[in-house]
Amino acid sequence: MSGSPFPSPPEPYLAQPVPAGGASRWATDSVVESLVQMRPWLLLFGVLGFVCCILIMAGSLFAGFLSIARNGSAEGAILFVNVPVGLLYFFPSRSLFRFARHISDFRYTRSTADLEAAFMAQKSFWRFCGILVGLIVSLYVFIIVVAVVVGLVFAG
């Protein structure tokens, strides 16, 4: 007896065919809506990052030139150190903007390529933040060690 009056339910874990155009299979409307709701925040922090980048670099250059013009010496040149600090804001801001742009693309195309590009931009953002935090923690540890050694040398 091969036939059963009760058909078995479909297997949920079997591979499903990929929709035409490489559209993402698992991107439900709620997933897309969550990504779309993130987009304004990504744009806000991206804009704030670019504004901080410009303000830090412009302020540093202005103060440096003003100090050199007033004193006639290179004392103000130390202010130019803040220019690379201002550039540090550029790269994560760019990644946030890319993430937001790819979310917009994905919203309309539901393409796996657009979703992958969005997550690659997010990965770049977090990689940059992780490297920066690692460098800052290393710098703090170095400063603490130097302060302890200098303190011990001059205390005795």
Side-chain angles (χ1 to χ4, degrees):
M1 227 169 149
S2 64
S4 170
F6 305 106
S8 57
E11 271 301 318
Y13 301 110
L14 291 179
Q16 302 294 322
V18 176
S24 179
R25 293 173 286 163
W26 60 269
T28 63
D29 289 337
S30 64
V31 169
V32 174
E33 186 60 30
S34 294
L35 288 171
V36 168
Q37 288 175 4
M38 270 196 300
R39 187 176 178 278
W41 295 105
L42 295 168
L43 290 174
L44 173 70
F45 286 108
V47 167
L48 288 176
F50 284 133
V51 167
C52 287
C53 175
I54 291 168
L55 289 177
I56 289 171
M57 289 181 10
S60 177
L61 290 173
F62 177 74
F65 284 130
L66 187 63
S67 177
I68 290 173
R70 279 189 168 170
N71 298 336
S73 66
E75 290 176 0
I78 193 70
L79 294 173
F80 294 111
V81 172
N82 283 334
V83 172
V85 171
L87 282 175
L88 286 177
Y89 282 86
F90 174 77
F91 297 105
S93 299
R94 183 182 63 174
S95 294
L96 291 175
F97 262 100
R98 286 181 178 173
F99 189 27
R101 186 187 75 227
H102 291 301
I103 286 174
S104 291
D105 295 343
F106 177 70
R107 177 183 188 183
Y108 296 109
T109 64
R110 300 282 177 108
S111 166
T112 304
D114 288 331
L115 186 61
E116 288 174 359
F119 284 123
M120 291 299 290
Q122 185 183 37
K123 182 185 83 166
S124 296
F125 172 78
W126 288 113
R127 180 188 309 148
F128 182 85
C129 291
I131 291 170
L132 188 61
V133 167
L135 290 173
I136 290 170
V137 168
S138 300
L139 180 65
Y140 284 161
V141 168
F142 176 74
I143 289 171
I144 290 170
V145 168
V146 168
V148 168
V149 168
V150 168
L152 290 174
V153 167
F154 288 110

